[in-house]
Amino acid sequence: MKRIWAIFCAALLAAGLSGCTAETGLNPRHPVTLTLWHNFGGQMQATMDTLVDEFNGTMGKEKGIILSVTSISGSSAVQEKLTMIADGDPGAPEMPDIATCYPATAALLQERELLAPLDGQFTQSELDAYLPRFVEEGRLSDGQLYVFPFAKSTEVLFVNQTLFDRFSEATGIGLDSLSTFEGIAAASTAYYDWTDGLTPDTPEDGKSFYTADSLFNLAQVGMEQMGGSLFAGEALALDSDCYRRIWEAVFEPAVRGGYAIYDGYSSDLSKTGEIVCSTGSTAGILFYGEEITYPDNTTEQVEYTVLPFPTFQGGEKIAIQRGNGLVVARSTPEKEQAAAVFLKWFTAPEQNMRFVASTGYLPVTRSAFEERMEQEIAANENVNIQKLLRAAMTVYEAYRFYVPPVFDAFNAVSSAYAEKLQTAASEARQEYLSLLEGGAAEEEAYRQAAAERLEFEQAAGLRDRLKAVESLS
């Protein structure tokens, strides 16, 4: 039979029909064109475009695959368009062959049978080359792999070392105190008092020390670190001693002025010297430069330190696993196979490290972490990315990754939590300042401003849980 197949292929080759193999239906004489949507901008878009061009000129040319790229500004815009496709919206665009996509959106597409499962395109040994948690995150309710990892992020602590050194010299508080959220809370209060004391004629004008890009992520991971969970089904579980620790570590320093209450990215505040440190995505490193511009337009050269994500005292070292993946549309066998060829090429350690080295994302294979990271750190010309990659190595070696749950209302729950907490802290902050102005002592002012606010949030969370249970009955 093998001899007959070989003769058949030879005959076709003689007729000029090259590309005949038993393994693939791809043919470089008749290339397959794939559309690719991604949400990268700036440097990330430039890197992605360079890699796609390289693929088209090498592996793509050899196999007969052409990638046509569309960059859509913002991850939310991509997810919105994909959701329109999943919902069958009359104004929805045509489904791309490959797209960056979050698991929650992928679940909607998979329910409509719009995605191709990817397990069959990879051998087990090929899948074993990737970090298991990264692969498992891409498996949906039927257990099959739909969201393929190409780059992930986690959260770290960004510290303006220049500003911190001044504070440390004056107070004796060291960088090691920032390894826990309790330590950050204590340092934030000390920083507010210290900066307030620099202008004795102007009371209560101290500066904030810290903020979090995502208070919701802080709460999710903090609960996991302490052996609990922020969720009871699809509702929030806020009535626990563990959650009280999270509330106290965030709410009190925010009311007292040590934490910035800000509805935006922490890098914005860092650029103007309004905070010293923040927790945020590793991908945010590109927004930290070497200079800050103060509100009075004076500038200062600064250095940053990047530390692993803090823990709650006594808790396990856990950090969140973030980032979307690549999904492949259900189409023809040739197109699905062509998409898999690109996924394998793009996530191979050499290409993968080139992408993450200029973007702040983490590589997805064991080889990239264990064999190429040190080399990349030494060769990278961006000092901040060097520091970031070293912190990422610590997280890889010493931390466990937490993957948030996937359910339809997740984004709504996340947004509502952050909004309510920020509103409560902002209102309490204003009440606190008013009480101080009226002559109240600090402790009494805080006690009155914070009174029953946690209990109110816990009651609201309990009501949401009861509603969720009723909806299932």
Side-chain angles (χ1 to χ4, degrees):
M1 185 66 187
K2 290 181 179 179
R3 175 176 173 79
I4 294 172
W5 177 254
I7 294 172
F8 176 66
C9 282
L12 287 179
L13 287 170
L17 299 177
S18 62
C20 173
T21 71
E23 179 186 355
T24 177
L26 299 174
N27 188 331
R29 287 185 176 271
H30 302 285
V32 172
T33 298
L34 302 177
T35 53
L36 167 64
W37 287 2
H38 70 73
N39 58 279
F40 304 121
Q43 179 60 48
M44 288 184 281
Q45 179 180 349
T47 302
M48 185 71 169
D49 290 347
T50 297
L51 287 168
V52 168
D53 287 343
E54 182 177 322
F55 173 82
N56 282 340
T58 56
M59 179 67 73
K61 184 177 181 180
E62 176 187 334
K63 298 289 187 180
I65 307 167
I66 300 172
L67 282 178
S68 175
V69 178
T70 298
S71 175
I72 299 175
S73 179
S75 176
S76 60
V78 175
Q79 304 313 302
E80 181 180 352
K81 290 180 182 295
L82 292 174
T83 300
M84 289 172 63
I85 294 170
D87 291 341
D89 192 311
E94 185 177 348
M95 177 74 181
D97 296 300
I98 307 173
T100 54
C101 184
Y102 286 98
T105 307
L108 298 177
L109 294 165
Q110 189 265 336
E111 287 176 5
R112 276 70 170 182
E113 299 185 345
L114 295 173
L115 296 184
L118 299 173
D119 296 88
Q121 302 288 354
F122 292 80
T123 66
Q124 189 57 52
S125 62
E126 287 176 328
L127 289 177
D128 288 344
Y130 297 85
L131 270 67
R133 293 288 299 206
F134 291 176
V135 174
E136 290 306 309
E137 185 185 12
R139 296 192 182 279
L140 299 182
S141 58
D142 63 357
Q144 297 193 80
L145 178 61
Y146 292 93
V147 188
F148 199 79
F150 69 95
K152 292 294 180 181
S153 63
T154 186
E155 292 197 353
V156 292
L157 181 70
F158 298 104
V159 183
N160 184 319
Q161 191 67 51
T162 304
L163 297 185
F164 184 83
D165 284 345
R166 290 179 194 146
F167 166 61
S168 179
E169 184 177 355
T171 62
I173 294 176
L175 200 63
D176 58 346
S177 67
L178 307 186
S179 63
T180 67
F181 282 106
E182 290 88 350
I184 294 173
S188 73
T189 301
Y191 183 76
Y192 182 87
D193 292 341
W194 175 66
T195 51
D196 185 37
L198 297 177
T199 54
D201 295 333
T202 308
E204 297 302 325
D205 69 335
K207 289 188 175 183
S208 298
F209 181 77
Y210 165 84
T211 194
D213 270 349
S214 174
L215 292 170
F216 190 66
N217 287 347
L218 189 159
Q220 286 188 89
V221 177
M223 290 293 287
E224 295 290 327
Q225 290 176 348
M226 291 183 280
S229 174
L230 188 63
F231 300 95
E234 296 184 5
L236 297 180
L238 308 181
D239 51 342
S240 69
D241 291 339
C242 289
Y243 183 74
R244 179 176 286 276
R245 288 181 61 186
I246 292 172
W247 174 273
E248 291 173 348
V250 173
F251 192 76
E252 182 170 353
V255 173
R256 293 182 182 273
Y259 284 7
I261 305 169
Y262 182 66
D263 185 20
Y265 289 111
S266 59
S267 58
D268 296 338
L269 299 180
S270 184
K271 290 174 184 177
T272 55
E274 294 177 72
I275 57 171
V276 176
C277 61
S278 61
T279 46
S281 169
T282 53
I285 190 64
L286 298 178
F287 299 99
Y288 291 83
E290 298 176 348
E291 183 180 85
I292 58 176
T293 302
Y294 292 102
D296 63 0
N297 286 326
T298 59
T299 61
E300 181 180 15
Q301 294 294 115
V302 296
E303 292 184 3
Y304 286 93
T305 294
V306 184
L307 300 175
F309 193 74
T311 62
F312 281 85
Q313 286 180 359
E316 183 183 354
K317 290 184 176 180
I318 298 176
I320 198 167
Q321 178 177 309
R322 298 179 52 173
N324 52 23
L326 291 168
V327 296
V328 175
R330 187 184 293 271
S331 57
T332 65
E334 290 76 20
K335 281 197 168 188
E336 291 176 14
Q337 184 183 26
V341 169
F342 172 71
L343 295 184
K344 293 177 185 181
W345 181 89
F346 184 53
T347 58
E350 181 179 351
Q351 285 77 245
N352 200 207
M353 284 304 303
R354 286 169 57 194
F355 180 76
V356 303
S358 62
T359 60
Y361 282 89
L362 308 181
V364 294
T365 64
R366 300 175 190 270
S367 174
F369 266 107
E370 297 170 3
E371 300 173 13
R372 293 177 176 267
M373 188 69 87
E374 287 296 338
Q375 178 183 346
E376 181 54 46
I377 292 172
N380 201 298
E381 297 179 357
N382 187 313
V383 175
N384 283 344
I385 288 185
Q386 284 184 345
K387 296 174 181 177
L388 174 75
L389 293 177
R390 290 201 182 281
M393 282 294 294
T394 299
V395 173
Y396 171 72
E397 293 168 353
Y399 279 61
R400 178 168 65 85
F401 282 118
Y402 161 73
V403 180
V406 176
F407 55 89
D408 290 346
F410 181 84
N411 290 336
V413 170
S414 170
S415 299
Y417 173 88
E419 182 180 350
K420 288 178 181 178
L421 181 51
Q422 287 176 335
T423 298
S426 181
E427 291 175 351
R429 170 69 177 161
Q430 295 306 311
E431 184 178 350
Y432 174 76
L433 291 174
S434 296
L435 289 166
L436 290 179
E437 189 175 351
E442 289 185 2
E443 292 304 319
E444 177 60 21
Y446 176 73
R447 187 189 68 78
Q448 291 188 41
E452 298 185 358
R453 291 189 184 270
L454 172 58
E455 289 73 17
F456 179 82
E457 295 301 320
Q458 289 175 329
L462 181 58
R463 286 195 299 271
D464 290 341
R465 286 162 63 185
L466 290 173
K467 288 178 183 178
V469 171
E470 291 172 359
S471 68
L472 296 174
S473 61

